[in-house]
Amino acid sequence: MGAIQTYLEKRKSFGVTADDTYTHISEWLDWYRGSVKTFHEYWIYDGVQSKKQERYKLGMAKKICEDWANLLLNEKVSIKAGGFNTRLEEILKFNNFRVRANQLVELAFALGTGALVEYVDADENILIDYIRADMIYPLSWDNGDITECAFGSAKVVNEKECVYLQIHRHGIAEDGEDPKLYYIENKYLDADTGDEVPLPDDMEELVPTMYDRPLFQIITPNVVNNLDLDSPMGISVFGNSIDQVKGSDLVYDSYMNEFVLGRKRILVPIGMAKMEMQKEGVTAPVFDPNDTVYYALPDDRNSDLKLTEVDMKIRAAEHEQGLNKTLDLISLKCGMGTGRYKFENGSVKTATEVISDKSDLYQNLKKNKIPINAALVAMTEVLYFLAGNSGSITVTVDMDDSIIEDTNTTIDRNIKLVDAGLRSKLTAIMEINKCSEEEAQKEMERIAEDSQITGAAVDWTGGDSVEDEEEPEDEGAEKEDEDKKDDAGNKRRAG
């Protein structure tokens, strides 16, 4: 997207992120895709000519990003916004949020940065765009927070490749705009020169948002970008682990080649591999020359001319041990601690047990939830505004903690604390349901109503209520009680 940078540099009113950032993004993208030409392709000279080889790949860069996305933004994450809940779910469903947002987090952790962008189209639909790092161009930032930004995407107009550029910026007072509010500029650029081209007829060049906050949210891993300290862009979660990813591919390549080179072979003297006349007068070799099991030996071989079996020992255990070591290093460097991955039965398996609150994964998971939570809250507030509402709204995001603590454990602990008088029912409901105090209070009221309705046990066979039935008298027990009373009276008279 060099056309975008060329255009933005001409504007002079904006700063542009250093080119180094996008150089790193390109490198991270190659590793995320799993094929880096300078590393995975190599040449071997076989004594006659050089042949190009390609390394076997384990693909741990993508696997790491997939797992972070699944831990941070999965199907168990819920967003609650009071009376706006129903409309919010409609908007999120319309934009396929559950799927696309998870994919965005995966890309953000792979390329360092991602963005959610909200807007209203010509048909009054509220839309959410999911933008990856190489399409994000920060224009201004304050203390690392991007306040103005341009987002690009490729378009084809009249069979000509163009770039659609959407600029989110503050109002310019000299142009009669309110500097406290945000405005969106729509631009179409020539993909080659970066020059402006006419916009489609149904698109406005300048759109006032009438909103004092940006209609976009930036998502990055919650770690410092040590490759470019002055850049507002984030760093890939494996940005400092390229050597470890290389190591895993090297060991895996060696492991796979161990089986390729370790195939059983049979060495055949050349005399036994000569052509033989068949009964029909057709000559044919004793052994098929295309067979990968049999290999002919020259006549001058100084050994007994007999079939020789070559069965090389495969070092599977040593390679698996080496792979597990490299997986531990990658996992540790990418914030997931050791023991997260294990190479078994020819594939990488992921640990799924509940983790300790003192582990590296727990601490980094909590840390990375901070920018995700902030982005989801800000997104919901923007959607509330775009839906035609005014004023503020309380938004709560329930991030999935099931990997840290089992849900049943949380419920059991709260029940015990309430029974012991050490916690209120209101607080227990808030923790179990991951809701606000107001929502917990409403839940308690519903529970109380249900208790009143079901307070009297009902005989559903058509009889009266159980509490209205009279228990049958036990005549024998009643007579026994009367006899005891008479005996006691006789004793008192006798005394």
Side-chain angles (χ1 to χ4, degrees):
M1 289 296 173
I4 295 178
Q5 288 181 310
T6 301
Y7 172 79
L8 294 174
E9 287 171 356
K10 291 179 181 178
R11 288 286 297 262
K12 299 296 184 184
S13 56
F14 299 120
V16 181
T17 306
D19 291 345
D20 286 347
T21 300
Y22 294 94
T23 301
H24 293 310
I25 290 174
S26 299
E27 179 187 8
W28 299 331
L29 182 57
D30 286 341
W31 281 105
Y32 174 72
R33 287 172 173 164
S35 181
V36 181
K37 187 175 181 180
T38 57
F39 177 77
H40 289 108
E41 292 183 4
Y42 62 100
W43 296 80
I44 290 182
Y45 182 68
D46 62 1
V48 179
Q49 61 181 348
S50 294
K51 295 183 178 179
K52 186 170 72 172
Q53 305 289 325
E54 186 172 352
R55 298 190 197 280
Y56 291 93
K57 311 171 190 70
L58 199 56
M60 286 307 299
K62 185 177 189 328
K63 176 62 176 175
I64 288 284
C65 300
E66 287 178 4
D67 280 4
W68 271 120
N70 292 337
L71 289 170
L72 291 167
L73 197 56
N74 53 46
E75 76 285 353
K76 295 182 181 179
V77 174
S78 65
I79 307 172
K80 298 179 181 179
F84 185 57
N85 273 345
T86 302
R87 179 64 178 135
L88 174 63
E89 284 301 319
E90 291 175 354
I91 296 172
L92 296 181
K93 185 176 181 180
F94 182 78
N95 286 276
N96 198 18
F97 180 80
R98 296 291 177 185
V99 175
R100 295 299 310 281
N102 178 272
Q103 294 173 350
L104 177 66
V105 173
E106 180 179 331
L107 286 169
F109 273 65
L111 307 181
T113 311
L116 296 162
V117 182
E118 302 83 30
Y119 62 97
V120 179
D121 68 2
D123 297 324
E124 301 298 320
N125 294 314
I126 300 176
L127 303 179
I128 304 173
D129 278 347
Y130 309 88
I131 313 296
R132 65 176 189 261
D134 55 339
M135 300 293 183
I136 300 173
Y137 295 84
L139 304 176
S140 63
W141 50 92
D142 181 20
N143 199 26
D145 294 329
I146 299 174
T147 55
E148 296 176 299
C149 195
F151 304 98
S153 58
K155 299 286 185 181
V156 176
V157 179
N158 296 326
E159 299 183 355
K160 182 176 178 59
E161 186 177 349
C162 296
V163 175
Y164 170 52
L165 184 63
Q166 192 179 81
I167 301 174
H168 293 243
R169 61 169 178 80
H170 288 294
I172 302 173
E174 292 79 1
D175 295 340
E177 300 170 355
D178 189 342
K180 295 182 180 179
L181 301 179
Y182 273 85
Y183 293 77
I184 299 176
E185 290 186 29
N186 293 307
K187 302 288 183 182
Y188 268 72
L189 310 176
D190 186 285
D192 298 322
T193 64
D195 296 331
E196 288 191 45
V197 297
L199 289 171
D201 295 336
D202 60 347
M203 183 176 290
E204 296 288 336
E205 183 174 358
L206 181 66
V207 179
T209 66
M210 308 304 293
Y211 197 54
D212 60 352
R213 281 175 280 178
L215 303 188
F216 64 85
Q217 300 79 41
I218 302 297
I219 295 175
T220 65
N222 194 5
V223 292
V224 174
N225 181 356
N226 63 313
L227 300 180
D228 191 348
L229 296 176
D230 296 324
S231 173
M233 303 283 279
I235 184 175
S236 169
V237 73
F238 57 81
N240 287 292
S241 308
I242 300 297
D243 286 344
Q244 284 70 40
V245 177
K246 287 181 179 179
S248 67
D249 283 354
L250 280 172
V251 178
Y252 184 66
D253 178 65
S254 176
Y255 182 74
M256 296 301 292
N257 278 312
E258 193 83 0
F259 287 91
V260 174
L261 300 175
R263 290 180 303 182
K264 181 180 289 189
R265 292 169 171 83
I266 298 176
L267 305 181
V268 183
I270 192 66
M272 300 179 65
K274 292 181 179 179
M275 307 298 285
E276 188 175 83
M277 182 72 70
Q278 296 181 350
K279 292 181 179 180
E280 293 80 3
V282 180
T283 58
V286 176
F287 298 106
D288 185 351
N290 295 318
D291 199 322
T292 58
V293 175
Y294 298 96
Y295 293 83
L297 296 178
D299 285 328
D300 59 353
R301 181 171 179 261
N302 296 323
S303 64
D304 296 333
L305 295 179
K306 61 181 181 180
L307 292 177
T308 305
E309 180 183 12
V310 179
D311 192 1
M312 298 177 64
K313 180 181 178 182
I314 296 176
R315 300 167 299 165
E318 291 85 348
H319 277 87
E320 290 182 9
Q321 182 180 3
L323 276 170
N324 284 319
K325 290 293 183 182
T326 60
L327 290 176
D328 271 351
L329 287 172
I330 294 173
S331 180
L332 180 64
K333 289 292 293 291
C334 293
M336 291 187 167
T338 58
R340 173 71 179 172
Y341 302 105
K342 189 174 182 180
F343 187 84
E344 283 184 349
N345 300 324
S347 62
V348 177
K349 296 184 178 181
T350 304
T352 56
E353 68 273 6
V354 175
I355 64 175
S356 165
D357 59 1
K358 295 181 181 179
S359 68
D360 290 340
L361 177 56
Y362 172 86
Q363 295 173 4
N364 289 310
L365 182 60
K366 284 293 188 181
K367 185 175 72 170
N368 280 310
K369 282 182 177 180
I370 296 173
I372 303 293
N373 186 88
L376 295 180
V377 170
M379 178 199 72
T380 304
E381 292 172 345
V382 169
L383 295 177
Y384 180 75
F385 168 76
L386 294 178
N389 301 293
S390 59
S392 60
I393 185 174
T394 301
V395 181
T396 58
V397 179
D398 173 22
M399 307 293 282
D400 177 30
D401 286 333
S402 59
I403 189 174
I404 300 168
E405 183 176 35
D406 182 64
T407 304
N408 291 331
T409 303
T410 302
I411 295 173
D412 292 342
R413 185 182 68 248
N414 276 283
I415 291 175
K416 291 177 181 178
L417 289 173
V418 171
D419 289 343
L422 300 176
R423 170 166 288 192
S424 68
K425 293 181 179 179
L426 183 67
T427 304
I429 292 175
M430 289 173 62
E431 182 175 343
I432 293 172
N433 293 347
K434 307 293 184 182
C435 61
S436 64
E437 183 175 348
E438 180 182 357
E439 291 171 327
Q441 186 63 48
K442 291 180 180 179
E443 183 66 19
M444 286 189 63
E445 292 172 359
R446 285 192 288 267
I447 293 172
E449 292 174 0
D450 291 344
S451 298
Q452 291 175 359
I453 294 174
T454 60
V458 178
D459 180 5
W460 295 104
T461 60
D464 296 331
S465 171
V466 173
E467 64 181 6
D468 293 335
E469 295 180 0
E470 294 184 1
E471 295 183 359
E473 295 182 355
D474 188 342
E475 295 180 357
E478 184 178 355
K479 186 176 185 304
E480 182 179 351
D481 290 340
E482 290 177 356
D483 292 342
K484 289 181 179 179
K485 290 179 181 178
D486 291 341
D487 292 343
N490 293 333
K491 289 179 179 178
R492 283 197 295 271
R493 285 193 293 271

